[in-house]
Amino acid sequence: MLRIAVQSKGRLYDETMTLLEEAGIKLNKGKRILLLSAKDFPVEVLFLRDDDIPQSVANGVADVGIVGENEYVEKGEEADLVKRLGFSKCRLSLAIPKEETYEGVTWFEGKTIATSYPVILRSFLERNGVKADIHEISGSVEIAPGIGLADAIFDIVSSGSTLVSNQLKEVEVVLPCEALLIANKDLPAEKREILEELLFRFEAIQLAEGKKYVLLNAPKEKLDEIIEVLPGMKSPTVTPLANGEWVSVQSVIAEKHFWEIIGKLKSLGAEGILVLPIEKMII
Ligand code: PRP
Ligand code: ZN
């Protein structure tokens, strides 16, 4: 049995649950709300505050954890970083009142900065040779300058709307963050094996992300040009159609080039273009 610690609520929660579900981990509803076992897979999920996840994984209360990079770096616990999960992206940034003129980190010299991330902030200030006063508070950091508690803040920025509504502006991005999969350093072989299976499933999901499956009919004489605009995983699959002049082509394309590729395919005479979502991809 592999015990996974996840955030019980907050910025990582929804996407973490979606990832587990897509990986085939369906949780049994139980009387215990904090620890749920999975159906058909030797995994149980432990719901914790995200600040507690690094330590729980380091000391073995949980075997692995899905946690924000901000908490993993701040806590500095002895746990292995197994995989960057690519979701819940945000950044730890310094922000100051929007009317201030900012010309560089020396602005912070002698100032008071409110934060819930004193370790990361201290190391940034030291690296930059800036002496400032770190005022540690656990929540609502963004209101500190407005109420005269600090000159600046160091906090998570995602959409930036919290800064805007508090008349602050982001001036230094210190640490880009995303969700991480971390693991205890001494997992026994049997747990490692379950972790490998979990990783295999996560990777299949990640590979499929942002990709579409395309099927189309193409005139045979345009086939070479059409294959050129379809950068599939390998070469596309080409099947002859009953009408000998036409072929059916199947391939995988990246969503971000979608409209560009479809436009080129149409101008090359492709017809009956079907675009399908890809759920998982195993290569
Ligand atoms: C962070 C941060 C801000 C907000 C920024 O809090 O402290 O309050 O997100 O996001 P935005 O740029 O999209 O407005 P979080 O949601 O992580 O909650 P917490 O402060 O309770 O940890
Ligand atoms: Zn916050």
Side-chain angles (χ1 to χ4, degrees):
M1 184 75 88
L2 187 79
R3 184 179 287 177
I4 311 178
V6 307
Q7 197 186 33
S8 52
K9 61 177 178 4
R11 69 174 53 246
L12 274 80
Y13 179 80
D14 287 339
E15 282 177 284
T16 299
M17 296 321 282
T18 307
L19 176 67
L20 293 179
E21 200 173 297
E22 285 178 348
I25 296 169
K26 298 196 180 60
L27 298 179
N28 289 310
K29 299 258 176 319
K31 281 197 210 87
R32 300 167 73 177
I33 337 162
L34 288 181
L35 186 66
L36 295 178
S37 61
K39 293 180 193 127
D40 314 319
F41 197 60
V43 149
E44 54 188 2
V45 176
L46 177 65
F47 294 92
L48 296 177
R49 278 168 52 104
D50 63 345
D51 336 22
D52 294 332
I53 294 176
Q55 191 188 23
S56 308
V57 171
N59 67 21
V61 167
D63 301 310
V64 302
I66 295 177
V67 68
E69 196 162 358
N70 46 314
E71 290 301 336
Y72 178 65
V73 177
E74 176 68 21
K75 296 295 186 294
E77 293 281 350
E78 290 284 310
D80 287 334
L81 168 51
V82 180
K83 187 171 179 53
R84 302 189 153 272
L85 295 172
F87 64 82
S88 288
K89 291 200 174 173
C90 61
R91 50 206 190 263
L92 272 172
S93 293
L94 280 158
I96 64 174
K98 69 167 198 268
E99 65 279 3
E100 291 283 331
T101 319
Y102 186 78
E103 274 160 1
V105 282
T106 50
W107 186 92
F108 292 97
E109 188 67 40
K111 299 278 201 313
T112 301
I113 310 168
T115 189
S116 316
Y117 300 91
V119 173
I120 299 172
L121 177 57
R122 192 166 301 123
S123 112
F124 174 81
L125 293 173
E126 272 169 21
R127 272 201 313 280
N128 286 280
V130 172
K131 288 204 171 50
D133 192 17
I134 299 176
H135 188 82
E136 188 177 346
I137 46 181
S138 60
S140 305
V141 169
E142 57 273 2
I143 67 168
I147 60 173
L149 206 59
D151 302 303
I153 66 163
F154 176 63
D155 198 14
I156 287 178
V157 180
S158 172
S159 65
S161 64
T162 301
L163 293 186
V164 170
S165 55
N166 288 280
Q167 279 92 48
L168 298 167
K169 63 178 175 189
E170 184 178 15
V171 291
E172 299 284 343
V173 174
V174 174
L175 182 73
C177 296
E178 64 185 281
L180 304 177
L181 178 67
I182 62 171
N184 181 275
K185 286 195 175 294
D186 310 302
L187 285 187
E190 139 246 354
K191 294 193 180 204
R192 230 163 244 291
E193 222 169 274
I194 306 171
L195 175 58
E196 288 305 321
E197 173 62 25
L198 198 63
L199 273 173
F200 168 74
R201 295 184 184 191
F202 285 178
E203 267 150 32
I205 296 163
Q206 274 188 343
L207 268 175
E209 244 153 49
K211 299 211 173 64
K212 298 280 177 207
Y213 197 77
V214 188
L215 293 121
L216 57 90
N217 295 334
K220 226 179 192 167
E221 81 263 13
K222 292 284 187 189
L223 187 59
D224 290 346
E225 285 168 81
I226 284 181
I227 287 176
E228 238 167 80
V229 297
L230 279 178
M233 310 243 298
K234 295 199 182 91
S235 55
T237 309
V238 180
T239 337
L241 292 182
N243 167 351
E245 303 296 297
W246 285 72
V247 287
S248 159
V249 181
Q250 305 172 27
S251 188
V252 173
I253 63 172
E255 180 138 51
K256 60 178 175 192
H257 301 304
F258 179 77
W259 290 110
E260 191 189 319
I261 292 175
I262 297 299
K264 284 186 190 157
L265 293 173
K266 274 167 62 191
S267 66
L268 287 167
E271 284 178 8
I273 304 173
L274 267 185
V275 180
L276 308 172
I278 299 175
E279 204 173 294
K280 315 267 191 318
M281 198 186 282
I282 291 124
I283 49 174

